[in-house]
Amino acid sequence: MNAMRWLQEGPGRLAVSLQSEHQLVGAAVLRIGLGSFLFLEILTNWSQRRALWGPKGLYPLWLFRRDLTSTIAPSILAVHSAILSDVLLAGTAAVGLLYLIGWHTRLLTFLFVIGTWSLFNRNPLALSGGEHLIRVTLPFLLLIDSGRTLSLDAIQNRVTPGAWKALFHNVGMAFIVIQLCVVYEAAGIQKLGGELWLDGSAVGRILEVEQFNRFGLGGLVYHHHLAALALTYATLAFELSFPVLVLTRKLRPLALFGAALFHVFIAVVMGLLGFAAIMLTYQAAAVGDAAYVQVFGRMRRLPMRLRGDRPAVGELALPKRIVTDD
Amino acid sequence: MPLPPPGNSRLFTLATGLLFGLLVVHFIAVSLSVLPSNSVSRTAEPVSRVYLRPFFVQGWQLFAPDPVSGNVRVYVRGTYLSGDGDQETPWLDVLDPAMSKRRRIWPPSNNLIEQVEWEAATLLLNDLSRESGEAAAADPSVITRWADAQAKPPSLVSLESAGGMALRTAYPTLDLRQVQVGLAIQPTSDIAGVFVLDSHPGAAQEPPSGGLIVFRPVNVGR
C-alpha cells in the first residue's frame, strides 16, 4: 500500500522539493575553489607557460593536431603563435579570477568551462586525478547556480531565484556529488585487483618511490610495517565506503572527516598538494546548506563566547539567502 | 522554503523525470567504463564509448590495481656539431632533483613540468608493456615503428621535447642537432645501491649499465 502511495505521490513530491535550491553554499565553495585553481595554475606556472602549453612545448602543436581526430577535444589555446598563446592564457587566468569572485556568474561559468577545458586539453599530460575530476564535471557546472551566495552577484543583488533554475541546479549538484562518489568507488574496486593492496604493502611501496616522497616523510611509514599495513587497509576502507557514507545524511560528517584526513596525509606526506586541494573542494560541495549555516553561526558566536557574553536576540538569525531544509 | 510552483507543473514534473532518467543512464554508462571489464561492459562498450567521449572519459586507477613500485628514470643525450664533426653529450638524468634546482622552478617539490615528465615516463612504460608484452625487454620492432613521428606515442614526443629543453639548459652553448631518450625503472629496494646522486646541479648521471631502453634519436627543432 505504502509502495503504491509512494509511486503515485513520490514524483510529485520530488518535483516540489526540487523547486528550492539545495547546496547553494556548496556550489559557491566549488566555484571559489575551481576559480582559484584555474587562476593559480596559470599564475604559478607563468614562467614555464611556453613549455607547458606553448606551440613548441612539451606537448607541441603538431602532436595536438595529429591526435585531435582521436581525442575529439579541441582547445582555444592550440594556436601557432606563442604570443597569442600567452594572451589567451592570460585571458583564461582572468576568467578564473572573475569566476572566483562571482561577477556575472552565468556568463563567467560558460567562459570558465571553455577556458578550463582548453587548458586541460592543450596538454593532457599535465593532468592529475584532481584535474580529471574537474574535466568530467565541467558540463554540470553550467547547470548549477554557483553565484547565489558568497559572490559579487549576491552582494549587488543580481541573483534571481526560479523554480526551473532550482531544478537544473539541484540536478547539476546531484551529478557532481555522484561523480565524486564514482571516483572513490572506482579507485577502491580497482585496488581490490592488486596484490600489493590485498597484502597491505601498497602504501609503503608507493612512498618508497621518489616522486611520492618529496618531503622525505615516507620513511615514517615504509620503515614501520604496521603503519604501512594500517594505512593501506584504511585507504581501501575509506574509498570503498565513501559513497554510502556521503549519501547518508547522518554519516556524512564521518565521510568528510575521513576525506580530510586522507587528503591532508596525501598533501603532507606525498606532496600532492594540488590533488588534495581539488578533492577537498569537491568534498565541500557535497556539504548541505544546513551544515554550513550551523558552522557559520558557531563562527559568528565564537567571539561572544570568548568574551563570555550571552548572544542577544536576533544575533543567531540565519542568512536569509540560504535554504536550510536539506 | 519552496518557491512558487512554475506555471505548468505537469511540464515541470515531466522535466524532473527526464533529468533524473538522464542521471541514471549517465551513471550506468560511467559505471560500466570504470569497473573492471566484464561481459556487460564489453557488450555495452561501443555505445558507452560514443556517449562518454570526449566530455566524460573516466580513468580512476589512482595507484591501482598495483602501484608503480620503482623509480622511473628518464635519460637524454644530445648530438651536437663541433669542429671534429658530430659529438655526443653524456647521458643526463631529466628527473634528477638537481635538474629542478638548475631550472629554478618554483616550488621545486611539486612543479608541473616535472609532473608532466614523470607522467610521460610512466605512460611510456605502460605503452611499451602493452606493445612489447614486457617493458624491461622492449621489442626492437616497436622502437623502430616509433621512430616515425606519425606513429610515436604522445608520451615519447613529450619526453623528447623535455630532453631537448634539459640539454639546452645544461649545455647552453652547444649547437644541438639530435636528442635521444633512454628510459629505465629501478626497483625501489635497489635505490641506495645503484645511484649516488651528484650534488652538482645538472651534472650528468650515469644510467644503469643494463636495462636502459634507448629510443631512436630525433632531430631537434621540429
Side-chain angles (χ1 to χ4, degrees):
Chain A
M1 189 66 189
N2 279 344
M4 280 301 292
R5 237 177 95 181
W6 189 90
L7 279 176
Q8 283 168 351
E9 296 175 9
R13 278 189 191 175
L14 182 66
V16 170
S17 163
L18 289 172
Q19 287 171 27
S20 35
E21 290 171 311
H22 304 269
Q23 291 174 287
L24 284 170
V25 183
V29 171
L30 187 63
R31 186 199 77 238
I32 292 166
L34 297 185
S36 309
F37 161 79
L38 183 62
F39 179 64
L40 292 174
E41 180 83 340
I42 297 172
L43 190 72
T44 57
N45 290 298
W46 187 253
S47 63
Q48 304 294 324
R49 67 194 179 282
R50 291 195 177 172
L52 289 166
W53 303 292
K56 292 182 178 172
L58 295 172
Y59 204 88
L61 186 63
W62 71 264
L63 175 65
F64 176 88
R65 291 198 168 154
R66 187 196 76 177
D67 290 352
L68 191 55
T69 45
S70 59
T71 59
I72 335 170
S75 164
I76 56 163
L77 299 171
V79 289
H80 262 300
S81 156
I83 293 170
L84 181 58
S85 167
D86 289 352
V87 171
L88 290 168
L89 265 178
T92 307
V95 164
L97 188 62
L98 293 173
Y99 180 65
L100 148 68
I101 62 173
W103 181 76
H104 291 279
T105 315
R106 283 280 160 191
L107 171 68
L108 259 297
T109 304
F110 184 68
L111 297 178
F112 173 83
V113 168
I114 293 175
T116 308
W117 171 265
S118 295
L119 187 79
F120 286 176
N121 290 311
R122 184 61 195 85
N123 186 350
L125 294 172
L127 309 186
S128 71
E131 282 102 31
H132 277 295
L133 176 59
I134 298 177
R135 190 181 185 274
V136 296
T137 53
L138 283 176
F140 311 132
L141 296 180
L142 296 169
L143 300 178
I144 67 172
D145 191 4
S146 64
R148 178 62 65 81
T149 186
L150 304 176
S151 70
L152 208 57
D153 284 347
I155 293 169
Q156 296 177 345
N157 276 326
R158 273 199 298 264
V159 287
T160 48
W164 284 100
K165 209 172 172 181
L167 173 66
F168 285 109
H169 167 82
N170 291 328
V171 172
M173 287 306 287
F175 268 104
I176 290 169
V177 174
I178 297 173
Q179 177 64 62
L180 180 67
C181 294
V182 166
V183 173
Y184 288 110
E185 195 64 24
I189 290 176
Q190 297 274 358
K191 286 183 177 73
L192 291 178
E195 203 181 312
L196 298 179
W197 287 100
L198 295 179
D199 73 14
S201 64
V203 171
R205 296 295 286 272
I206 293 168
L207 292 174
E208 280 185 295
V209 176
E210 287 169 4
Q211 179 73 10
F212 304 115
N213 188 19
R214 288 308 178 91
F215 304 136
L217 298 172
L220 296 173
V221 176
Y222 64 73
H223 285 318
H224 300 90
H225 289 181
L226 187 62
L229 190 82
L231 287 169
T232 302
Y233 290 139
T235 302
L236 279 178
F238 167 70
E239 290 189 341
L240 290 167
S241 62
F242 182 81
V244 175
L245 295 180
V246 87
L247 296 175
T248 310
R249 197 179 301 172
K250 283 186 179 171
L251 298 175
R252 202 172 293 160
L254 190 62
L256 301 176
F257 180 68
L261 278 182
F262 183 71
H263 289 295
V264 168
F265 175 84
I266 287 175
V268 174
V269 179
M270 296 174 69
L272 303 177
L273 304 174
F275 174 67
I278 292 169
M279 296 309 285
L280 287 174
T281 299
Y282 276 85
Q283 301 287 342
V287 176
D289 289 330
Y292 274 114
V293 169
Q294 217 175 356
V295 172
F296 289 156
R298 279 185 190 162
M299 280 164 61
R300 285 167 61 191
R301 290 197 299 270
L302 190 64
M304 285 188 288
R305 281 193 181 165
L306 290 175
R307 287 199 307 267
D309 296 346
R310 291 172 68 114
V313 177
E315 279 190 41
L316 301 180
L318 304 176
K320 284 176 188 163
R321 288 201 184 93
I322 300 170
V323 183
T324 59
D325 58 350
D326 64 338
Chain B
M1 208 165 96
L3 299 163
N8 190 342
S9 62
R10 270 194 185 174
L11 183 64
F12 191 84
T13 308
L14 182 69
T16 305
L18 282 175
L19 283 170
F20 273 83
L22 179 66
L23 184 134
V24 170
V25 170
H26 174 83
F27 282 107
I28 287 175
V30 166
S31 302
L32 287 174
S33 79
V34 297
L35 292 174
S37 179
N38 57 57
S39 60
V40 179
S41 66
R42 280 191 293 274
T43 311
E45 203 266 341
V47 180
S48 67
R49 208 163 75 106
V50 169
Y51 170 71
L52 294 173
R53 280 161 68 94
F55 297 108
F56 306 114
V57 177
Q58 312 277 318
W60 312 111
Q61 277 75 21
L62 306 176
F63 302 108
D66 274 320
V68 57
S69 56
N71 285 316
V72 184
R73 289 290 190 196
V74 180
Y75 296 91
V76 288
R77 66 180 171 191
T79 307
Y80 61 96
L81 192 66
S82 79
D84 306 328
D86 281 354
Q87 301 282 325
E88 267 183 353
T89 67
W91 285 106
L92 204 67
D93 183 347
V94 175
L95 291 173
D96 173 11
M99 276 302 295
S100 335
K101 279 188 202 161
R102 191 178 169 88
R103 285 191 241 165
R104 291 177 190 163
I105 297 170
W106 188 92
S109 60
N110 193 32
N111 77 69
L112 199 48
I113 290 207
E114 275 188 15
Q115 188 187 310
V116 170
E117 289 165 351
W118 193 85
E119 180 76 13
T122 312
L123 280 176
L124 186 54
L125 275 175
N126 290 343
D127 290 336
L128 267 177
S129 303
R130 200 180 49 247
E131 299 280 331
S132 312
E134 179 61 55
D139 184 346
S141 69
V142 175
I143 307 281
T144 308
R145 182 149 43 89
W146 286 355
D148 176 8
Q150 291 307 312
K152 200 174 282 190
S155 48
L156 181 54
V157 175
S158 196
L159 288 180
E160 287 167 351
S161 298
M165 288 176 200
L167 285 165
R168 282 189 206 99
T169 307
Y171 308 104
T173 56
L174 294 186
D175 182 12
L176 274 181
R177 296 302 169 101
Q178 288 190 317
V179 172
Q180 187 169 27
V181 171
L183 199 63
I185 185 156
Q186 296 169 263
T188 41
S189 53
D190 294 342
I191 297 170
V194 176
F195 282 95
V196 179
L197 292 178
D198 198 309
S199 59
H200 296 294
Q205 300 291 327
E206 278 302 307
S209 49
L212 183 70
I213 302 160
V214 180
F215 298 89
R216 294 287 174 84
V218 61
N219 293 336
V220 294
R222 182 186 159 121

